[in-house]
Amino acid sequence: MILWRKEFAVLQSIGMTNRQLRRMLIYEGMFCALGAIAVALALALGIGPLIGHSMNKIFFFYQYQFSIMPVLAVVPSFVLLGCLIPAVLYGQSSRQSIVERLRDYF
């Protein structure tokens, strides 16, 4: 059995409502997406100029120009995926009753 189904079943068995679980999953997905964006932005700002200038010295045809637009362009898709993936996983796990999921757990 998949681990997230077990976790959802245990959380619901101790009193978490469907609405609370769905909200928790969406917030968790959003935090992961925003964390990934923050890491990508930090890497682009920190490592980009170092690699870009060294590439300028190695290849005569290469010219480094920093652009933040690619990082900002993926923000909507990351946020959308951060919301959709947990919602789909929750929808799949809620097809079974809590008792059936817990029975498979133990």
Side-chain angles (χ1 to χ4, degrees):
M1 183 172 183
I2 300 174
L3 184 62
W4 49 266
R5 286 186 188 173
K6 297 174 187 178
E7 182 181 346
F8 296 167
V10 170
L11 287 172
Q12 286 181 321
S13 70
I14 60 172
M16 184 174 256
T17 64
N18 290 337
R19 183 177 178 196
Q20 289 172 332
L21 182 59
R22 190 177 319 116
R23 183 179 292 165
M24 180 196 71
L25 292 172
I26 289 173
Y27 284 151
E28 187 176 307
M30 293 287 289
F31 288 138
C32 287
L34 293 176
I37 292 166
V39 168
L41 186 60
L43 289 175
L45 290 173
I47 297 175
L50 297 174
I51 293 174
H53 293 301
S54 63
M55 294 290 282
N56 281 343
K57 294 176 183 176
I58 294 172
F59 301 111
F60 69 91
F61 55 85
Y62 182 81
Q63 181 181 0
Y64 174 72
Q65 183 179 1
F66 178 73
S67 176
I68 199 164
M69 288 308 295
V71 176
L72 296 178
V74 299
V75 169
S77 62
F78 271 26
V79 170
L80 183 66
L81 288 173
C83 291
L84 286 179
I85 291 173
V88 169
L89 291 177
Y90 176 71
Q92 289 179 354
S93 71
S94 66
R95 291 181 184 162
Q96 292 180 328
S97 70
I98 297 172
V99 175
E100 292 173 351
R101 288 182 274 161
L102 285 174
R103 187 177 301 135
D104 292 338
Y105 181 69
F106 297 106

